[in-house]
Coordinates of all heavy atoms in Angstrom, one line a residue:
E1 N 0.8 -1.2 0.0 CA 0.0 0.0 0.0 C 0.9 1.3 0.0 O 1.9 1.3 0.6 CB -0.9 0.0 1.2 CG -1.7 1.2 1.4 CD -2.5 1.3 2.7 OE1 -2.2 0.4 3.6 OE2 -3.4 2.1 2.8
L2 N 0.4 2.3 -0.7 CA 1.1 3.6 -0.7 C 0.1 4.6 0.0 O -1.0 4.8 -0.5 CB 1.4 4.1 -2.1 CG 2.5 3.4 -2.8 CD1 2.6 3.9 -4.3 CD2 3.8 3.5 -2.1
A3 N 0.6 5.0 1.2 CA -0.3 6.0 2.0 C -0.4 7.3 1.2 O 0.4 7.6 0.4 CB 0.4 6.2 3.4
F4 N -1.5 8.0 1.6 CA -1.7 9.3 1.0 C -0.6 10.3 1.1 O -0.1 10.5 2.2 CB -3.0 9.9 1.5 CG -4.2 9.2 1.0 CD1 -4.9 8.3 1.8 CD2 -4.7 9.5 -0.3 CE1 -6.1 7.7 1.3 CE2 -5.8 8.8 -0.8 CZ -6.5 8.0 0.0
H5 N -0.2 10.9 0.1 CA 1.0 11.8 0.1 C 0.9 12.7 -1.1 O 0.1 12.5 -2.0 CB 2.3 11.0 0.1 CG 2.5 10.2 -1.2 ND1 1.8 9.1 -1.4 CD2 3.3 10.5 -2.2 CE1 2.2 8.6 -2.6 NE2 3.1 9.4 -3.1
T6 N 1.8 13.7 -1.2 CA 2.1 14.5 -2.4 C 3.5 14.2 -2.8 O 4.3 13.7 -2.1 CB 1.9 16.0 -2.1 OG1 2.7 16.4 -1.0 CG2 0.5 16.4 -1.9
D7 N 3.8 14.5 -4.1 CA 5.2 14.4 -4.6 C 5.9 15.7 -4.5 O 5.4 16.6 -3.9 CB 5.1 13.8 -6.0 CG 4.8 12.3 -6.1 OD1 4.7 11.7 -5.0 OD2 4.6 11.8 -7.2
N8 N 7.0 15.8 -5.1 CA 7.9 17.0 -5.1 C 7.0 18.2 -5.3 O 6.3 18.3 -6.4 CB 8.9 16.9 -6.1 CG 10.0 18.0 -6.1 OD1 9.6 19.1 -5.9 ND2 11.2 17.6 -6.3
P9 N 7.0 19.2 -4.4 CA 6.1 20.3 -4.6 C 6.4 21.3 -5.7 O 5.6 22.1 -6.1 CB 6.2 21.1 -3.2 CG 7.5 20.7 -2.7 CD 7.8 19.3 -3.2
T10 N 7.6 21.1 -6.4 CA 7.8 21.9 -7.6 C 7.2 21.3 -8.8 O 7.2 22.0 -9.8 CB 9.4 22.0 -7.8 OG1 9.9 20.7 -8.1 CG2 10.1 22.6 -6.6
W11 N 6.6 20.1 -8.6 CA 5.8 19.5 -9.7 C 4.4 19.9 -9.5 O 3.7 19.3 -8.7 CB 6.0 18.0 -9.7 CG 7.4 17.5 -9.8 CD1 8.5 18.2 -10.3 CD2 7.9 16.2 -9.5 NE1 9.6 17.4 -10.2 CE2 9.3 16.2 -9.7 CE3 7.3 15.1 -8.9 CZ2 10.0 15.1 -9.5 CZ3 8.0 14.0 -8.7 CH2 9.4 14.0 -8.9
N12 N 3.9 20.9 -10.2 CA 2.5 21.4 -10.0 C 1.5 20.3 -10.4 O 0.4 20.2 -9.8 CB 2.3 22.7 -10.8 CG 3.3 23.7 -10.6 OD1 4.4 23.6 -11.1 ND2 3.0 24.7 -9.8
V13 N 1.8 19.6 -11.5 CA 0.8 18.7 -12.0 C 1.5 17.3 -12.2 O 2.6 17.2 -12.6 CB 0.3 19.1 -13.4 CG1 -0.6 18.0 -14.1 CG2 -0.5 20.4 -13.3
L14 N 0.8 16.3 -11.8 CA 1.2 14.9 -12.0 C 0.2 14.3 -13.0 O -1.0 14.5 -12.9 CB 1.2 14.1 -10.7 CG 2.2 14.5 -9.6 CD1 2.0 13.6 -8.4 CD2 3.6 14.4 -10.1
G15 N 0.8 13.5 -13.9 CA -0.1 12.8 -14.9 C 0.3 11.3 -14.9 O 1.5 11.0 -14.8
W16 N -0.7 10.5 -15.0 CA -0.4 9.0 -15.1 C -1.1 8.5 -16.3 O -2.3 8.8 -16.6 CB -1.0 8.2 -13.9 CG -0.3 8.5 -12.6 CD1 0.8 7.8 -12.1 CD2 -0.6 9.5 -11.6 NE1 1.2 8.3 -10.9 CE2 0.3 9.3 -10.5 CE3 -1.6 10.5 -11.5 CZ2 0.3 10.1 -9.4 CZ3 -1.6 11.3 -10.4 CH2 -0.7 11.1 -9.4
Y17 N -0.4 7.7 -17.1 CA -1.0 7.0 -18.3 C -1.0 5.5 -18.0 O 0.0 5.0 -17.6 CB -0.2 7.4 -19.5 CG -0.7 6.7 -20.8 CD1 -1.7 7.3 -21.5 CD2 -0.1 5.5 -21.2 CE1 -2.2 6.7 -22.7 CE2 -0.6 4.9 -22.4 CZ -1.6 5.5 -23.1 OH -2.0 4.9 -24.3
C18 N -2.1 4.9 -18.2 CA -2.3 3.5 -17.9 C -1.9 2.7 -19.2 O -2.5 2.7 -20.2 CB -3.7 3.1 -17.5 SG -3.9 1.4 -17.1
V19 N -0.8 1.9 -19.0 CA -0.4 0.9 -20.0 C -1.1 -0.4 -19.8 O -1.7 -1.0 -20.7 CB 1.1 0.7 -20.0 CG1 1.5 -0.3 -21.1 CG2 1.9 2.0 -20.3
E20 N -1.1 -0.8 -18.6 CA -1.8 -2.1 -18.2 C -2.3 -1.9 -16.8 O -1.5 -1.4 -15.9 CB -0.9 -3.3 -18.4 CG -1.6 -4.6 -18.2 CD -0.7 -5.8 -18.6 OE1 0.4 -5.6 -19.2 OE2 -1.2 -7.0 -18.4
Q21 N -3.5 -2.4 -16.5 CA -4.0 -2.3 -15.1 C -4.0 -3.6 -14.4 O -4.0 -4.7 -15.1 CB -5.5 -1.8 -15.2 CG -6.1 -1.5 -13.9 CD -5.4 -0.5 -13.0 OE1 -4.5 -0.9 -12.3 NE2 -5.7 0.8 -13.1
D22 N -3.9 -3.6 -13.1 CA -4.0 -4.8 -12.3 C -5.3 -5.4 -12.5 O -6.3 -4.7 -12.7 CB -3.8 -4.4 -10.8 CG -3.7 -5.6 -9.9 OD1 -2.6 -6.2 -9.7 OD2 -4.8 -6.0 -9.4
E23 N -5.4 -6.7 -12.4 CA -6.6 -7.5 -12.7 C -7.7 -7.2 -11.6 O -8.9 -7.1 -12.0 CB -6.3 -9.0 -12.7 CG -7.5 -9.8 -13.2 CD -7.2 -11.3 -13.3 OE1 -6.0 -11.6 -13.2 OE2 -8.1 -12.1 -13.5
H24 N -7.3 -7.0 -10.4 CA -8.2 -6.8 -9.3 C -8.1 -5.5 -8.5 O -9.1 -5.0 -8.0 CB -8.1 -8.0 -8.3 CG -8.2 -9.4 -9.0 ND1 -9.4 -9.8 -9.5 CD2 -7.3 -10.3 -9.2 CE1 -9.3 -11.0 -10.0 NE2 -8.0 -11.4 -9.8
A25 N -6.9 -5.0 -8.4 CA -6.7 -3.8 -7.5 C -6.0 -2.7 -8.4 O -6.2 -2.6 -9.6 CB -5.8 -4.2 -6.3
G26 N -5.3 -1.8 -7.7 CA -4.6 -0.8 -8.4 C -5.4 0.5 -8.6 O -4.9 1.4 -9.4
N27 N -6.5 0.7 -8.0 CA -7.3 1.9 -8.2 C -6.5 3.1 -7.7 O -5.8 3.0 -6.7 CB -8.6 1.9 -7.5 CG -9.6 0.9 -8.2 OD1 -9.2 0.2 -9.1 ND2 -10.8 0.8 -7.7
S28 N -6.6 4.3 -8.3 CA -6.0 5.5 -7.9 C -6.9 6.2 -6.8 O -8.1 6.3 -7.0 CB -5.8 6.5 -9.0 OG -5.0 5.9 -10.0
L29 N -6.3 6.5 -5.7 CA -7.1 7.1 -4.6 C -6.7 8.6 -4.4 O -5.5 8.8 -4.3 CB -6.9 6.3 -3.3 CG -7.1 4.8 -3.4 CD1 -6.8 4.1 -2.1 CD2 -8.5 4.5 -3.8
L30 N -7.6 9.5 -4.2 CA -7.3 10.9 -4.1 C -8.1 11.5 -2.9 O -9.2 11.1 -2.6 CB -7.7 11.6 -5.3 CG -7.2 11.2 -6.7 CD1 -7.8 12.0 -7.8 CD2 -5.7 11.3 -6.7
L31 N -7.5 12.5 -2.2 CA -8.1 13.3 -1.2 C -7.9 14.7 -1.6 O -6.7 15.1 -1.9 CB -7.5 13.0 0.2 CG -7.8 11.6 0.8 CD1 -7.1 11.5 2.2 CD2 -9.3 11.3 0.9
D32 N -8.9 15.6 -1.5 CA -8.8 17.0 -1.8 C -8.6 17.8 -0.5 O -9.5 17.7 0.4 CB -10.1 17.4 -2.5 CG -10.0 18.8 -3.1 OD1 -9.1 19.5 -2.8 OD2 -11.0 19.2 -3.8
L33 N -7.5 18.6 -0.5 CA -7.2 19.4 0.7 C -7.6 20.8 0.5 O -7.2 21.7 1.3 CB -5.8 19.3 1.1 CG -5.2 17.9 1.3 CD1 -3.8 18.0 1.9 CD2 -6.1 17.0 2.2
R34 N -8.4 21.1 -0.4 CA -8.8 22.5 -0.7 C -9.4 23.3 0.4 O -9.3 24.5 0.6 CB -9.7 22.6 -1.9 CG -9.9 24.0 -2.5 CD -10.8 23.9 -3.7 NE -10.8 25.2 -4.4 CZ -11.5 25.4 -5.5 NH1 -12.2 24.4 -6.1 NH2 -11.4 26.6 -6.1
D35 N -10.1 22.6 1.3 CA -10.9 23.2 2.4 C -10.1 23.3 3.7 O -10.7 23.5 4.7 CB -12.2 22.5 2.6 CG -12.0 21.0 3.0 OD1 -10.9 20.5 2.6 OD2 -12.9 20.4 3.5
V36 N -8.8 23.2 3.6 CA -8.0 23.1 4.9 C -8.2 24.4 5.7 O -8.3 24.3 7.0 CB -6.5 22.9 4.5 CG1 -5.9 24.1 3.7 CG2 -5.7 22.7 5.8
D37 N -8.4 25.5 5.1 CA -8.5 26.7 5.9 C -9.9 26.9 6.4 O -10.2 27.9 7.2 CB -8.1 28.0 5.1 CG -8.9 28.2 3.9 OD1 -9.6 27.2 3.4 OD2 -8.8 29.3 3.2
R38 N -10.9 26.1 6.0 CA -12.2 26.1 6.6 C -12.4 25.1 7.7 O -13.4 25.2 8.4 CB -13.2 25.8 5.5 CG -13.3 26.9 4.4 CD -14.5 26.8 3.6 NE -14.6 25.6 2.8 CZ -14.2 25.4 1.6 NH1 -13.5 26.3 1.0 NH2 -14.3 24.2 1.0
V39 N -11.4 24.3 7.9 CA -11.5 23.3 9.0 C -10.6 23.6 10.2 O -11.0 23.4 11.3 CB -11.0 21.9 8.4 CG1 -11.0 20.8 9.5 CG2 -11.9 21.5 7.2
F40 N -9.5 24.2 9.9 CA -8.5 24.5 11.0 C -8.6 26.0 11.3 O -8.8 26.9 10.5 CB -7.1 24.2 10.6 CG -6.9 22.7 10.4 CD1 -7.1 22.0 9.2 CD2 -6.4 21.9 11.5 CE1 -6.9 20.7 9.1 CE2 -6.3 20.6 11.4 CZ -6.5 19.9 10.2
S41 N -8.4 26.3 12.6 CA -8.4 27.7 13.1 C -7.2 28.4 12.5 O -6.2 27.8 12.0 CB -8.4 27.7 14.6 OG -7.1 27.2 15.1
A42 N -7.2 29.8 12.7 CA -6.1 30.6 12.2 C -4.8 30.2 13.0 O -3.7 30.2 12.4 CB -6.4 32.1 12.4
E43 N -4.9 29.9 14.2 CA -3.8 29.5 15.0 C -3.2 28.2 14.5 O -2.0 28.0 14.4 CB -4.1 29.4 16.5 CG -3.0 29.0 17.4 CD -3.4 28.9 18.9 OE1 -4.5 29.2 19.2 OE2 -2.5 28.5 19.7
E44 N -4.1 27.2 14.2 CA -3.7 25.9 13.7 C -3.0 26.0 12.3 O -2.1 25.4 12.0 CB -4.9 25.0 13.7 CG -5.3 24.5 15.1 CD -6.6 23.7 15.0 OE1 -7.5 24.0 14.1 OE2 -6.7 22.8 15.8

């Protein structure tokens, strides 16, 4: 398993092209952090 993370922050965009997919698993999983400033206080 690969835990949720970002890659090098100088890479603004990541792109993946599928050559061959795993038969049963291998789905891409994403979490959107856009609302971080609506969840955490100014101090946090």
Side-chain angles (χ1 to χ4, degrees):
E1 175 185 14
L2 288 175
F4 286 102
H5 65 284
T6 52
D7 285 354
N8 188 317
T10 64
W11 304 339
N12 310 75
V13 174
L14 295 178
W16 292 270
Y17 179 85
C18 181
V19 178
E20 187 168 355
Q21 185 56 275
D22 184 88
E23 186 176 354
H24 303 292
N27 292 3
S28 299
L29 308 176
L30 305 175
L31 294 179
D32 189 351
L33 304 191
R34 189 177 193 177
D35 59 339
V36 62
D37 59 347
R38 296 197 295 271
V39 175
F40 293 88
S41 68
E43 181 180 357
E44 289 172 324

